[in-house]
Amino acid sequence: TQLLEQSPQFLSIQEGENLTVYCNSSSVFSSLQWYRQEPGEGPVLLVTVVTGGEVKKLKRLTFQFGDARKDSSLHITAAQPGDTGLYLCAGVRIQGAQKLVFGQGTRLTINP
Amino acid sequence: DAGITQSPRHKVTETGTPVTLRCHQTENHRYMYWYRQDPGHGLRLIHYSYGVKDTDKGEVSDGYSVSRSKTEDFLLTLESATSSQTSVYFCAISTSSLGPSGEQFFGPGTRLTVL
């Protein structure tokens, strides 16, 4: 059972469309991180959210941490082919081992 | 760029042979990690280190051992490789004082195939 469930697992859309990726759990997290990974490379950190209800923007990417700190979302506006990649959420639970746990990832393809 | 290199980048080996993967960092960070990445599972922690000779197990540590005799090097050994250990292995470091709960920076990965 995955502690962090991401949905959808695969998403293929046209350039210019908007999309949202979700990261959900039944556990409470002290923080959540989002990474993007391109083929043949390691994940690269995009953002960390630490406060319930927090919203962070990174150009066309908007990240939100749920009020109860159990979930997060990534919204991309006007997707571009350069956004293609594997998006991973990761977090540290309030209770339990203080180690980062990862979701299974969302593979995003933006078609020109 | 957190100065992380992994070697080898690709390896094909046979079942039952020992394999050692190396992670090297140039900036003397305290925390280092080994993950494996498999389709549908994201990244899963194998072992991590919080200092020279200080290591601990992650969620999928069976069949793996690690060593850290110098700050800059963290070695992952598959004592007797099995086909289930075919995977992409990533090394990572934490740069923040939060250690395991802080942001992590990843190496380029090692693709291991066990035949």
Side-chain angles (χ1 to χ4, degrees), chain B residues 23 29 33 44 54 57 62 69 72 81 85 96 103 107-108 110-111:
Chain B
C23 177
H29 293 292
Y33 310 84
R44 292 181 291 175
D54 292 324
K57 295 179 179 180
D62 287 348
S69 58
E72 59 266 35
Q85 292 176 312
S96 84
E103 300 159 350
T110 294
R111 183 172 294 275

Side-chain angles (χ1 to χ4, degrees), chain A residues 1-6 23-29 32 70 89 91-97 99-104, chain B residues 41 59:
Chain A
T1 303
Q2 203 78 23
L3 192 62
L4 280 167
E5 290 284 347
Q6 287 187 238
C23 176
N24 295 307
S25 179
S26 57
S27 298
V28 179
F29 288 82
L32 271 178
K70 293 183 177 181
C89 66
V92 179
R93 284 182 295 170
I94 292 286
Q95 293 182 336
K99 301 186 189 90
L100 203 59
V101 292
F102 283 81
Q104 75 272 55
Chain B
H41 289 280
E59 63 180 303

Side-chain angles (χ1 to χ4, degrees), chain A residues 2 9 31 33 35 37 40-43 45 48 86 88 92 98-105, chain B residues 9 35 37 40-43 45 48 56-59 90 100-108:
Chain A
Q2 203 78 23
Q9 291 193 37
S31 65
Q33 303 167 17
Y35 294 79
Q37 184 179 19
E41 300 181 7
L45 181 70
T48 301
L86 180 68
L88 296 155
V92 179
Q98 292 295 293
K99 301 186 189 90
L100 203 59
V101 292
F102 283 81
Q104 75 272 55
Chain B
R9 293 293 313 279
Y35 292 89
Q37 185 173 35
H41 289 280
L43 287 151
L45 182 65
Y48 69 100
D56 204 352
K57 295 179 179 180
E59 63 180 303
F90 286 98
S101 54
E103 300 159 350
Q104 295 189 14
F105 295 86
F106 288 83

Side-chain angles (χ1 to χ4, degrees), chain B residues 13-51:
Chain B
T13 192
E14 293 188 350
T15 298
T17 60
V19 176
T20 296
L21 308 183
R22 179 179 182 245
C23 177
H24 178 79
Q25 59 149 328
T26 59
E27 299 183 0
N28 293 322
H29 293 292
R30 180 182 174 192
Y31 289 91
M32 298 184 75
Y33 310 84
W34 276 107
Y35 292 89
R36 60 178 289 174
Q37 185 173 35
D38 305 289
H41 289 280
L43 287 151
R44 292 181 291 175
L45 182 65
I46 304 171
H47 281 281
Y48 69 100
S49 170
Y50 45 96

